[in-house]
Amino acid sequence: MDKINNLENLEVTEPSIIVANHSSYLDHFALLYAFRKANNNEKLYFLAKSELFDKWLSRKWQTTMNAIPIDRDGDNAGTLNQMKSILKEEKKSIVIYPEGTRTYNGKVHIGKQGALVLAQVTKAPVVPVGIEGAFDVLPRKTLVPHKEKINLNIGKKFFVKVTKANRGLLQQKMMQNLTRLSKGVFELEADDIHQSMLDTVKEYNELGIRDYPYSNVSSTEYHRRALYITKQLLKTGFKKNEVLVEQARAIGKLGMKHNRLWALMRLRHAKYLVEQTKKHDDEYYMADYVLATCYNWLPKSWGGSKIKAQKLYLSAIKKEPTKIFTRLSYSKFLQKNKQYSASLEQAKYILKLKPEDLVDKRRKIEALEVIMRMNKSYDPEEEGLING
């Protein structure tokens, strides 16, 4: 635990329902530590899925943590009555994770409305707690934690007045508040979880590459998240080739955060992964692009090849000619290898392409910079690109 912000908001003067985002087994410990610190070792209950009580060791641990089992898909009238008794008669507080399970991609999801229903029938206040960083320390289905920090950001308590008409809106507002407190990203439930996971992997890899200075998540953690999710996806067999390409991107970028030997080993491994995907599917342009990058960065003694890199860049561009980032990378590759006229040609072509997003707009500015560095007489104002 690193920081607990606004601990005073967790000082309960009456039995309360504590709601939090859920991303790790460590969430229990973090909340229990903060709650006891704020309330002189007061007893605290947790709501937990009934499956955690099936095995002896897990059941023993949950019982030690004062966990209450709930069947997420069954009739829970008995559990609801038990929670009402804890709040009204025993006068103790309860932790509920509205998402119902640990996040599979690091984002906060809409979850279920049980906490709001309980708050309505008991008139107990709701205390929102954002858990920041736990996903990067110990995500689901992992045993070895990373050396990252966990912060708790505790919001002010609130009371609810729930009706059938406003229940969905109140749930969304509550989860968006938890997203803000946990400094995360809110995501409505996806129709296809596996596709959502793959989309998130691509997003994390891109954010890791961008490495924005004011992000609360480091580029290393973004790539670690991407690597973790790809490992989970590969177990399902979902779009294996795309997943392997994204895994290769994450591995390569993580390798470059370390010493040169480790970087070369990771890049060679990334190269191997993409080569395997191309044996099964040679139509995916990103496989060509990532493999080109590996061949470009690796020295010849480690399997690198400028000739193969150039062919793969051209192959990626042929398959997706309107992708700005592939052309920009290729233009910079050509410039570095003193193929100046070809580099200029690619950079000028980029200026004609329509950007897909803000990052593409920035890439077009980079392309303009490439042109102006190689052509001293080039005037973007005369070309109509900049107003004087």
Side-chain angles (χ1 to χ4, degrees):
M1 181 76 68
D2 186 36
K3 295 179 181 178
I4 303 176
N5 297 310
N6 303 314
L7 182 63
E8 66 277 6
N9 290 339
L10 203 56
E11 296 174 2
V12 296
T13 56
E14 57 187 316
S16 303
I17 300 168
I18 299 167
V19 294
N21 58 301
H22 195 22
S23 57
S24 171
Y25 273 139
L26 299 177
D27 295 342
H28 273 25
F29 296 105
L31 289 169
L32 183 61
Y33 171 79
F35 184 83
R36 287 183 171 177
K37 186 174 182 179
N39 296 281
N40 195 27
N41 291 324
E42 181 78 16
K43 188 176 183 179
L44 180 66
Y45 286 88
F46 291 85
L47 193 64
K49 62 181 181 181
S50 58
E51 296 93 319
L52 293 174
F53 292 79
D54 291 342
K55 296 181 179 180
W56 179 85
L57 186 60
S58 177
R59 181 170 65 251
K60 184 72 174 176
W61 180 69
Q62 293 295 335
T63 303
T64 302
M65 295 293 291
N66 299 315
I68 306 163
I70 184 169
D71 183 351
R72 293 178 294 181
D73 300 312
D75 180 9
N76 287 293
T79 301
L80 179 60
N81 288 331
Q82 184 180 359
M83 290 189 294
K84 286 166 60 178
S85 176
I86 289 170
L87 290 164
K88 303 293 286 183
E89 298 175 18
E90 195 175 340
K91 299 191 181 302
K92 301 298 180 185
S93 297
I94 301 174
V95 171
I96 297 178
Y97 303 110
E99 293 166 281
T101 188
R102 289 165 293 163
T103 177
Y104 54 83
N105 63 1
K107 297 182 178 181
V108 179
H109 300 94
I110 189 68
K112 299 184 179 181
Q113 300 168 3
L116 292 178
V117 173
L118 183 63
Q120 174 67 20
V121 298
T122 62
K123 309 302 179 186
V126 179
V127 181
V129 180
I131 305 175
E132 177 190 357
F135 182 78
D136 295 318
V137 177
L138 191 71
R140 61 191 294 166
K141 297 183 180 181
T142 57
L143 297 175
V144 181
H146 293 291
K147 293 181 180 179
E148 298 295 330
K149 296 175 181 178
I150 297 177
N151 298 324
L152 293 187
N153 302 305
I154 305 163
K156 293 183 179 180
K157 70 178 181 182
F158 61 91
F159 294 85
V160 297
K161 188 174 182 180
V162 183
T163 65
K164 287 185 179 180
N166 72 0
R167 186 185 295 175
L169 180 60
L170 286 177
Q171 176 71 12
Q172 184 166 326
K173 285 184 176 179
M174 181 176 71
M175 299 312 295
Q176 287 173 334
N177 187 31
L178 288 179
T179 303
R180 179 183 61 81
L181 289 168
S182 63
K183 300 181 181 179
V185 176
F186 178 68
E187 181 179 69
L188 292 170
E189 292 302 323
D191 294 330
D192 186 334
I193 289 179
H194 293 150
Q195 184 61 53
S196 174
M197 292 172 73
L198 179 54
D199 291 342
T200 302
V201 167
K202 294 178 180 179
E203 178 187 346
Y204 285 159
N205 270 333
E206 286 299 318
L207 288 170
I209 293 169
R210 300 280 75 78
D211 195 15
Y212 294 112
Y214 298 110
S215 173
N216 62 297
V217 180
S218 69
S219 62
T220 297
E221 284 310 317
Y222 274 129
H223 291 306
R224 276 182 182 165
R225 289 181 182 187
L227 180 58
Y228 159 75
I229 298 172
T230 58
K231 288 178 178 179
Q232 305 308 312
L233 275 173
L234 286 174
K235 296 175 183 177
T236 71
F238 179 79
K239 294 187 177 180
K240 184 176 179 180
N241 289 335
E242 284 190 48
V243 173
L244 280 172
V245 168
E246 292 302 320
Q247 185 173 91
R249 293 178 75 194
I251 288 172
K253 289 296 182 180
L254 285 170
M256 295 180 73
K257 303 289 183 181
H258 297 275
N259 60 60
R260 178 171 172 77
L261 177 60
W262 183 255
L264 292 173
M265 291 172 63
R266 296 294 87 194
L267 281 171
R268 190 163 65 177
H269 181 48
K271 171 176 163 287
Y272 168 79
L273 289 176
V274 185
E275 286 173 337
Q276 296 309 302
T277 69
K278 284 178 65 61
K279 289 180 180 179
H280 303 288
D281 178 11
D282 196 31
E283 297 303 314
Y284 186 36
Y285 81 100
M286 277 298 295
D288 290 334
Y289 172 73
V290 174
L291 190 54
T293 304
C294 292
Y295 274 117
N296 181 30
W297 285 350
L298 282 168
K300 190 174 181 179
S301 58
W302 282 74
S305 169
K306 301 299 182 186
I307 295 174
K308 289 182 179 180
Q310 185 162 357
K311 288 180 179 179
L312 286 161
Y313 277 128
L314 286 170
S315 177
I317 290 170
K318 183 179 180 180
K319 291 171 184 175
E320 289 286 347
T322 61
K323 294 295 183 182
I324 291 176
F325 72 93
T326 55
R327 287 186 180 273
L328 181 60
S329 295
Y330 183 45
S331 178
K332 291 180 177 180
F333 167 84
L334 292 169
Q335 183 185 24
K336 188 173 182 180
N337 288 279
K338 299 181 180 181
Q339 299 181 50
Y340 299 121
S341 59
S343 177
L344 271 172
E345 182 182 344
Q346 290 295 328
K348 288 179 179 179
Y349 193 89
I350 288 170
L351 298 184
K352 301 176 184 178
L353 295 175
K354 184 179 180 180
E356 295 181 2
D357 50 31
L358 284 173
V359 177
D360 265 357
K361 290 181 179 180
R362 191 213 69 193
R363 288 175 178 136
K364 292 189 74 170
I365 295 173
E366 286 188 60
L368 181 59
E369 181 185 8
V370 169
I371 296 170
M372 295 181 71
R373 281 184 178 276
M374 288 193 291
N375 187 346
K376 293 180 180 180
S377 63
Y378 186 86
D379 187 344
E381 186 175 348
E382 288 184 3
E383 298 290 333
L385 298 173
I386 296 177
N387 295 323

